[in-house]
Amino acid sequence: MMPTAAHAALQDTLGAHLDLSKSRLVTLATLVIALASARTVNLSHAAAQFGGSARHASNYRRLQRFFQYVRFDQAMIARLIVRMLTFERARDLALDRTNWTLGRSEVNILTLALVTRRFRVPLFFTLLDHRGNSTSEQRIALVKRYLAVFDASSIRVLLADREFCGEGWMQFLQEQSIPFVIRMRQDLRVVPLGTENRWRIDSLLRRPRKRQTFEAKLPETGTPISIAAKRLRDGEWLIVAHNTGRGERALNTYRRRWGIECLFADLKRRGFNLEDTRLADPEKLATLLGVLILALVWAYRCATDLMGKKAIKRKAHGRREKSWFRLGLDTLRRWLFNEPENAASAWLRTCPKPKANQ
C-alpha cells in the first residue's frame, strides 16, 4: 500500500504525542491502517500493507521489532481518546474482564472503559498474570490510574457485574466519592440498617413484589450501600448495590453496563479479531491494545463525520441497522481504499495539537 493522506495524518499527529523515531511512526501508522483494513491483528497480514520494494519477511520482522521495543503510556492514550471523542463532561465507566486461551497461556485483561450510547472505548487496562477474577487490590490500582489523570467528578457512574463486589473495593469507591452501580450475587450477606444480623440478600427479597429496595451495610467494613432488585422474566433476581439515590434509576442505569460486552465483541469477532494474535508477552500485548484503541477511536470519528447528529436507521424489528462502531469501521475501510483524504480529515478534526512548550 502506497503512503496516503491517512498515513501522513497519523504520523504528523501521533509524532507530537509519542516519543518515537520517524521509522517507528511510519510503522505505527501503517499498522493502525492495516488493522482497520484487514480486520485482523495477524502481523503477516499487516506486513503486506507496507509500500516499497522490501520483502514481506523484512516487513514482518520490522513489526516484530516494533512490538519488542515500543511501549505506550496508557495515560497519554486515555487523554487523547477523551479529546478526540470530544467527551469532556462526566462519563459512564464500565469495569470488566475479557479472557481467552493462547496455546498454554491464558490472556486475562481487566479493562476500565468509557461507555456511551454511541462509543465504547478502553481507557485503562491491566493484563492479569493469573486466571479468573481480579482482586480488589487490582481493581483499586486500575481506578487509581484513572484518578491520576482525571478527577473523580468526571465519573457519572461506574458500572460492574457481580464479579466485582468485594467489600474492600466497594469501600474504596465510597471513600473516593465515585458513584457506582454494581450487580450483587443473591447469596451475599449484608446487614440491613436497623439490625445487627447478617442476612443473605435473597432472604430479604421474600416479599411478593417484583421490585424492592432497602438500605444495608457490608458486614466486614460497615460500608453503607443501597440495594435495589427486580425480578427478571426468567425468574432470576437482578440485584444491584449502588450509592446513586433512587433504586429504580440504578436498575435502569445498570443496563448501560452491556456496552463493555459490546466493546469486547468489537475488539474480537465483530471487529479486529484480537484473539488472532500470537503475542503472549504482556508488554507486547499491551502495545497491541494501544494500537487497537487508536484504530477504534478512528472508526468512531469516521462514523461521526459520516452521520453528524443523525441516528442510524432502525429495521422493522426495532434494532439499528448497524452499531455505531460497525458503521465507523466500514466507513473507515472504504475511505482508506477509495477516499483516504476523508479518513485523514476524520482523524485530524479532533486530534489535539500539542502545546508549544511540550
Side-chain angles (χ1 to χ4, degrees), residues 53-117:
S53 58
R55 297 176 60 185
H56 181 273
S58 299
N59 290 329
Y60 186 80
R61 179 56 185 155
R62 183 176 179 178
L63 290 174
Q64 288 180 316
R65 289 195 297 270
F66 180 87
F67 286 103
Q68 182 176 357
Y69 297 111
V70 172
R71 300 292 175 262
F72 294 130
D73 177 3
Q74 286 190 36
M76 185 280 298
I77 297 290
R79 291 191 192 95
L80 186 63
I81 290 169
V82 171
R83 292 282 298 279
M84 289 194 69
L85 296 181
T86 62
F87 209 84
E88 297 292 349
R89 62 187 183 277
R91 57 197 70 117
D92 295 347
L93 302 181
L95 181 72
D96 206 350
R97 287 186 309 113
T98 186
N99 62 285
W100 68 92
T101 301
L102 180 58
R104 296 183 178 180
S105 302
E106 181 80 12
V107 179
N108 195 4
I109 308 173
L110 179 66
T111 306
L112 184 66
L114 167 67
V115 292
T116 75
R117 185 170 57 88

Side-chain angles (χ1 to χ4, degrees), residues 267-287:
L267 291 175
K268 294 179 179 179
R269 64 184 183 279
R270 288 206 303 244
F272 299 108
N273 289 288
L274 176 57
E275 291 176 332
D276 287 351
T277 183
R278 311 318 296 169
L279 297 175
D281 180 83
E283 291 190 343
K284 294 179 181 179
L285 191 53
T287 298

